[in-house]
Amino acid sequence: MRRILLILTLLAAAACDTTEGLDTTSSGPTGPTSASPGFPVTVTAGNGEVTIEQRPVRIVSLAPTLTEVLFAIGAGDQVVAVDELSNYPEDAPRTDLSGFEPNLEAVAALDPDLVVVSDDFNDIVSALTAVGIPVIHQPAAASLDDTYAQIEQLGAATGNPEAAAGLVASMASEIDDLSGSVEERADPLTYYHELDGSLFTVTSETFIGEIYGLAGLENIADAAEGADTLYPQLSAEYIIESDPDLIFLADTQCCGESAETVAARPGWDQITAVSSGAVFALDDDIASRWGPRVVDLLETIVAATAELGEGG
């Protein structure tokens, strides 16, 4: 239960506080007259305008997705600590810091010159700001465009704008290629994406739903009662009646769900996805983070649809 509450808290943030229109431009002197070329930099994040006076060399990340972004844009050697859930990449300096229950004293003790967060639990943003520590709040992305904007913003804030732009271009190209490889079907395949065993899911209006849409799939949750919440909780009866062609499990590592456990649920053996062997285990982390590995998520989904053969 605690896990799904945390997931829904993160996802709800995406619905009400997107990163649309992020400002990644810099201001102030550059070149030989600046202590750090290209700095100071001012970006407009979820917490408003943030100015970084010099290239940060002691970054603390309290968000697994942002940790992945920092390392992907070449800022890994600037990161001195990451939260307890930042398990990728493996060489990230993982600590017992919590992003869900952040402690100002513990973070400040690391003497950071930049902190990045995806949530403002415990009012950590204002607390850090009050003691003079620059903090960038990037809430959960609501779209791929949000992801691209966040990557470019962190590139500007850390002094790695070219690497960030290159990563965005590479991601966009790979995603276009994957989406373009999907076999067009007269009748789109339907799917159910499971967040946890209590049957919370996503609609097509979410970031995750957008990824599935790029694979040409139709979401059974869109027609469900209560789907206007973006992350509805479905009933087993509704899922069985909707009879999805594919089921994707984003609760395999946390909760031990698998094709076998799904098939053992009462009545689920009637579902086409179950009877045809189209229940696919996702990496929980990749399926819940909106950073560079969304490409891997789309690749997994596209490969799953290809396993079902050519469309009619």
Side-chain angles (χ1 to χ4, degrees):
M1 178 59 69
R2 181 176 183 271
R3 175 180 183 272
I4 194 61
L5 288 175
L6 293 177
I7 288 175
L8 293 178
T9 298
L10 287 170
L11 297 178
C16 62
D17 190 2
T18 72
T19 54
E20 183 178 357
L22 283 175
D23 182 1
T24 60
T25 59
S26 62
S27 63
T30 61
T33 60
S34 177
S36 298
F39 287 83
V41 165
T42 298
V43 298
T44 305
N47 53 317
E49 287 193 353
V50 180
T51 298
I52 298 97
E53 297 294 340
Q54 297 187 21
R55 182 177 185 270
V57 295
R58 295 191 61 80
I59 301 172
V60 172
S61 172
L62 298 180
T65 296
L66 305 188
T67 296
E68 293 192 19
V69 172
L70 289 168
F71 277 81
I73 63 175
D77 60 351
Q78 299 164 252
V79 178
V80 295
V82 302
D83 70 292
E84 61 187 350
L85 298 181
S86 287
N87 55 4
Y88 186 89
E90 290 184 1
D91 59 344
R94 195 172 176 187
T95 69
D96 60 359
L97 291 174
S98 171
F100 293 111
E101 298 177 353
N103 181 283
L104 173 63
E105 290 74 19
V107 175
L110 295 167
D111 192 26
D113 48 18
L114 178 64
V115 177
V116 296
V117 302
S118 61
D119 293 283
D120 190 17
F121 295 124
N122 289 353
D123 293 322
I124 189 64
V125 171
S126 60
L128 289 167
T129 302
V131 297
I133 298 175
V135 54
I136 290 177
H137 176 205
Q138 290 189 335
S143 68
L144 274 172
D145 285 344
D146 286 349
T147 288
Y148 297 151
Q150 288 189 357
I151 291 171
E152 290 177 342
Q153 184 178 87
L154 286 183
T158 62
N160 298 281
E162 294 84 4
L167 175 60
V168 168
S170 175
M171 289 174 62
S173 177
E174 290 183 71
I175 286 172
D176 284 345
D177 288 345
L178 285 168
S179 180
S181 71
V182 175
E183 181 78 20
E184 186 173 350
R185 298 171 182 266
D187 296 312
L189 294 172
T190 59
Y191 77 94
Y192 161 63
H193 175 95
E194 182 167 289
L195 291 175
D196 86 330
S198 59
L199 311 185
F200 277 96
T201 188
V202 301
T203 69
S204 295
E205 298 303 312
T206 62
F207 175 82
I208 298 171
E210 179 183 0
I211 301 299
Y212 281 105
L214 291 170
L217 300 181
E218 185 176 287
N219 192 345
I220 67 165
D222 292 345
E225 182 178 350
D228 56 338
T229 64
L230 299 182
Y231 301 94
Q233 183 179 25
L234 304 181
S235 67
E237 292 75 17
Y238 177 82
I239 296 170
I240 294 169
E241 182 179 348
S242 298
D243 192 27
D245 297 303
L246 305 100
I247 292 176
F248 294 92
L249 303 175
D251 52 0
T252 59
Q253 296 160 323
C254 74
C255 313
E257 297 294 348
S258 65
E260 291 72 27
T261 63
V262 168
R265 297 173 183 174
W268 285 57
D269 58 345
Q270 306 170 35
I271 298 175
T272 296
V274 176
S275 61
S276 66
V279 178
F280 299 94
L282 300 176
D283 181 300
D284 293 15
D285 293 335
I286 294 177
S288 63
R289 298 176 186 175
W290 58 94
R293 292 196 290 169
V294 296
V295 176
D296 298 339
L297 175 59
L298 178 57
E299 184 175 26
T300 298
I301 295 169
V302 169
T305 64
E307 284 188 28
L308 299 188
E310 297 184 358

